[in-house]
């Protein structure tokens, strides 16, 4: 099935230039509206700063650029930390945010989500030479093993409730302001595990195959979406654009580009 989808994505990607105009004609027209988007840029390949160019890019940037074309809007980005992102969007400081954000009920109490644009699974990210444990049970059994996490994120709660003992104050969890900082701590040996969805984790593995690997079975699935202030009039147009990109194969083509073809800089 994967091979069939990849072949379809290749075929579709060669046709995108001829099909987009027709699809866009059936979508809402935002009349060149300016839209401000918050992003953290620490989550490859969805969003990151390319060390070769110093420019932000990735799957989400390219997807939003396509959405902007289809909806006729202008986009401006602002770098915002994860801790501040949801409260800031909830308060209307930004029109929306993108950060590989898992669609969850507790977050939906504060912000509105778009329809999912991607589904991913949670995995254990470890150093490439890790051989002391291979699953959550093995990690949890040794009190010397430490996990790195961002507070308030899905990986944090999965670490707490599925890998450790359910205590959010467990001293084996070392908290970091960004996902990238947690991964750097893993690299230097300050922690032994970082939980991540397969999207972000595979991005780090692809960029550093001699440094990191993903181990164990997936621990559930999660859907990603853009977040908006409650009642935002942008939600319906974005959902329409996402649906059109799924229908015409654009999302498959982006997945192929960023998860199979893209070779990240070391």
């Amino acid at each position: 099935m994967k091979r069939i989808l990849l072949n379809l994505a290749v075929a579709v990607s060669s046709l995108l230039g001829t099909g987009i105009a027709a699809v866009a004609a059936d979508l809402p027209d935002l009349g060149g509206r300016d839209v401000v988007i918050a992003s953290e840029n620490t989550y490859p390949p969805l969003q990151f700063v390319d060390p070769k160019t110093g420019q932000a890019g990735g799957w989400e940037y390219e997807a939003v650029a396509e959405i902007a074309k289809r909806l006729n809007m202008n986009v401006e980005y602002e770098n915002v930390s994860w801790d501040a992102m949801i409260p800031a969007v909830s308060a209307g400081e930004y029109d929306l945010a993108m950060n590989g954000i898992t669609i969850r009920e507790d977050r939906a109490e504060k912000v509105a989500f778009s329809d999912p644009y991607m589904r991913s699974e949670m995995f254990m990210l470890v150093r490439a030479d890790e051989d002391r444990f291979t699953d959550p049970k093995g990690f949890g059994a040794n009190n010397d093993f430490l996990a790195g996490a961002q507070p308030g994120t899905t990986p944090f709660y999965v670490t707490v409730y599925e890998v450790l003992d359910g205590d959010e104050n467990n001293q084996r969890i070392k908290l970091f302001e960004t996902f990238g900082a947690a991964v750097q701590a893993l690299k230097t040996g300050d922690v032994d595990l970082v939980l991540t969805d397969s999207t972000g984790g595979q991005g780090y593995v692809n960029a550093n195959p001699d440094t990191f690997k993903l181990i164990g079975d997936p621990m559930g699935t999660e859907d990603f979406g853009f977040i908006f202030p409650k009642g935002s009039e942008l939600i319906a147009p974005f959902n329409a654009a996402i649906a059109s990109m799924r229908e015409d194969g654009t999302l498959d083509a982006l997945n192929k580009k960023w998860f199979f073809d893209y070779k990240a800089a070391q």
Side-chain angles (χ1 to χ4, degrees), residues 84-106:
M85 190 173 292
I86 291 179
V89 172
S90 178
E93 296 178 27
Y94 305 99
D95 292 304
L96 66 139
M98 61 182 201
N99 200 52
I101 303 173
T102 306
I103 298 174
R104 287 189 356 205
E105 291 184 4
D106 59 328

Side-chain angles (χ1 to χ4, degrees), residues 182-193:
V183 174
Q184 181 62 29
L186 175 64
K187 179 179 180 179
T188 59
D190 293 328
V191 298
D192 305 289
L193 167 71

Side-chain angles (χ1 to χ4, degrees), residues 1 20 50 77 81 86 99 103 108 125-127 134 161 175 179 191 202 210 223 249 254:
M1 178 61 72
I20 287 175
D50 191 327
Y77 293 100
S81 71
I86 291 179
N99 200 52
I103 298 174
L125 181 68
V126 298
R127 289 182 293 278
T134 59
Y161 295 105
L175 300 180
F179 179 68
V191 298
Q202 195 60 55
D210 297 327
D223 291 325
L254 287 175

Side-chain angles (χ1 to χ4, degrees), residues 5 22 60 89-90 113 126 128 135 150 155 157 169 171 175 183 204 211 219-220:
L5 289 175
E60 287 181 327
V89 172
S90 178
F113 279 94
V126 298
D135 55 27
Q150 276 181 283
Y157 291 112
N169 296 312
Q171 295 302 302
L175 300 180
V183 174
Y204 277 97
T211 304
M219 291 178 281

Side-chain angles (χ1 to χ4, degrees), residues 217-244:
D217 295 327
M219 291 178 281
T221 61
E222 56 183 357
D223 291 325
F224 295 158
F226 301 109
I227 60 171
F228 304 80
K230 291 276 193 175
S232 171
E233 60 186 19
L234 290 174
I235 300 171
F238 263 71
N239 285 344
I242 291 169
S244 72

Side-chain angles (χ1 to χ4, degrees), residues 14-29:
S14 67
L15 298 175
L16 291 182
T18 61
I20 287 175
V23 172
D26 298 327
L27 294 173
D29 187 334

